[in-house]
Amino acid sequence: MADHALTGILSAVGNTPLVELERVPAGFDGRLFAKLERFNPGGSIKDRPAISMLMGEIRSGRLIPGRSVVVESSSGNLAVGLAQVCRYHDIRFICVVDAKTTEQNLAILRALHAEVEVVTEPDADGEYLSVRLRRVRELVRSIPHAYWPNQYANEMNPRAHFSTMNEIVEALDGRLDYLFTATSTTGTLLGCKRYVREHGLATKVVAVDAVGSVLFEPGPPTGPPVRRLIPGHGASVRSALFEPDTADEVVHVTDLECVVGCRRLSLREALLAGGSSGATLAAFERLRPRIAPGSLCVLIFPDGGDRYLHTIYSDSWVQEHFGEVSHLWKTPDSTAAAGHGKG
Ligand SMILES: Cc1ncc(COP(=O)(O)O)c(C=O)c1O
């Protein structure tokens, strides 16, 4: 990140590697790169908004070490990023999570001295987000000096990704034809797209959403939400940050396509990627027939596979949810065969 005033572990956030993928896009007449955000010290891209949402508050004196309390709803990556900033600056952090949060994420949060509150009752649609947000509001009302960064409405969330995009564009000497970004709060998507507009770039920004997510559906959600197994991208509630015309294209990806994308990356590139990273590879494959020869494409990989060892990388979990599907990543050029959702 361009913030040279950051010290200690926080100074290690950003400047993540951009690596070329030469095997998974076999036969592609162009170049494909992955921006590996797992190399942030908290293990994900969400270290960036955690810093941008809190550091301004700390520097301005609105958040006071030893006195203020940060409260946020997150089921994983942002929570780890916030826990990191809060511990470093001696600020109490209460994280509201839900029953779907993995044991591993809970253990990481506790190891970083976050206080974890688990919401166990979903709302009428079986979703937890609205219940978590209600609990956050209660906590902020009742705890003195409490501050809610609210990643769903905080402009410093998208702002954080100017640096993400700047690092990519500089590494490619200013040329980038396609950017594929998984989306949930839409912070990454918005920040990258605003960068593209402000710098007059010709980059097409592709939003990668989950089948069953409400983000890019026109109007209010219809019907019961589709049960999604893989966290990270997609949303059951549209964030206040959402701007309808941000993405040049939207691709909806199924859980199975995520699994296949991840397994292809581990098998062919020796790259252990998180679920939404696999989704970006599936989206690239979907658009590939329409991408002009010679194009430079980047997939943002928000986190790593080590947080998905008991799901995406567990043969028994995959078998339980999708049946015998290993042929889908063992044969070349197989992402497209994993079954399309919408998009
Ligand atoms: C693994 C993963 N992928 C994708 C996203 C979506 O990013 P954004 O919230 O910036 O839309 C997140 C957000 O937490 C995430 O954790």
Side-chain angles (χ1 to χ4, degrees):
M1 307 237 304
D3 190 341
H4 300 297
L6 292 170
T7 53
I9 191 64
L10 305 185
S11 69
V13 174
N15 294 317
T16 51
L18 185 72
V19 301
E20 185 155 12
L21 305 179
E22 293 178 315
R23 298 169 183 179
V24 286
F28 174 55
D29 183 359
R31 296 180 74 187
L32 181 65
F33 298 84
K35 178 77 169 158
L36 303 183
E37 290 293 306
R38 70 176 293 189
F39 285 94
N40 286 302
S44 88
I45 195 165
K46 298 301 261 193
D47 279 10
R48 297 177 189 261
I51 283 183
S52 68
M53 290 191 295
L54 294 189
M55 287 312 297
E57 300 296 310
I58 293 171
R59 286 175 183 143
S60 67
R62 283 190 294 272
L63 270 182
I64 302 167
R67 192 163 91 166
S68 299
V69 183
V70 168
V71 183
E72 182 60 287
S73 154
S74 165
S75 45
N77 288 330
L78 179 73
V80 174
L82 291 174
Q84 203 170 243
V85 181
C86 287
R87 184 78 311 271
Y88 186 74
H89 284 286
D90 191 23
I91 291 169
R92 192 176 153 207
F93 174 43
I94 304 175
C95 182
V96 180
V97 302
D98 62 51
K100 288 201 286 192
T101 309
T102 63
E103 277 306 317
Q104 191 181 13
N105 280 351
L106 293 176
I108 294 170
L109 289 172
R110 292 190 177 117
L112 282 167
H113 303 270
E115 292 166 45
V116 175
E117 241 206 64
V118 185
V119 163
T120 48
E121 291 297 319
D123 65 17
D125 290 329
E127 294 286 341
Y128 289 100
L129 184 58
S130 61
V131 187
R132 279 188 351 214
L133 294 177
R134 201 180 323 129
R135 183 62 188 141
V136 166
R137 287 193 190 93
E138 278 167 18
L139 288 168
V140 172
R141 266 198 307 271
S142 61
I143 298 173
H145 310 295
Y147 171 68
W148 177 23
N150 192 2
Q151 61 164 332
Y152 299 97
N154 190 328
E155 274 299 322
M156 294 311 287
N157 173 5
R159 179 75 219 176
H161 298 291
F162 270 52
S163 67
T164 318
M165 194 59 180
N166 195 50
E167 290 166 24
I168 294 170
V169 170
E170 282 191 354
L172 297 175
D173 291 329
R175 179 161 163 228
L176 173 60
D177 298 303
Y178 283 86
L179 179 78
F180 290 78
T181 173
T183 187
S184 179
T185 67
T186 68
T188 315
L189 171 70
L190 262 179
C192 292
K193 180 66 186 194
R194 286 179 187 164
Y195 182 100
V196 165
R197 284 196 194 118
E198 283 179 23
H199 290 78
L201 303 178
T203 311
K204 278 201 173 21
V205 179
V206 181
V208 181
D209 197 5
V211 168
S213 161
V214 301
L215 277 177
F216 293 94
E217 296 297 337
T222 50
V226 176
R227 195 165 100 89
R228 289 178 285 122
L229 299 171
I230 298 176
H233 59 302
S236 58
V237 176
R238 200 178 276 154
S239 90
L241 291 171
F242 180 80
E243 290 177 7
D245 299 325
T246 313
D248 297 298
E249 299 244 8
V250 180
V251 179
H252 287 87
V253 173
T254 63
D255 283 340
L256 177 57
E257 286 177 297
C258 292
V259 170
V260 174
C262 287
R263 292 295 193 108
R264 288 183 67 212
L265 286 161
S266 64
L267 185 67
R268 299 195 195 287
E269 303 277 356
L271 202 164
L272 203 55
S276 61
S277 310
T280 64
L281 178 62
F284 164 78
E285 291 292 356
R286 192 92 60 80
L287 253 56
R288 184 171 156 168
R290 288 195 273 132
I291 295 177
S295 292
L296 288 192
C297 305
V298 168
L299 314 177
I300 296 181
F301 283 4
D303 65 1
D306 38 357
R307 293 191 182 153
Y308 304 81
L309 297 178
H310 301 296
T311 54
I312 292 169
Y313 296 98
S314 154
D315 289 341
S316 57
W317 184 88
V318 172
Q319 173 85 38
E320 182 194 338
H321 292 283
F322 305 104
E324 179 42 57
V325 288
S326 61
H327 61 282
L328 292 175
W329 56 84
K330 289 188 176 147
T331 50
D333 194 24
S334 47
T335 305
H340 293 173
K342 299 173 274 182

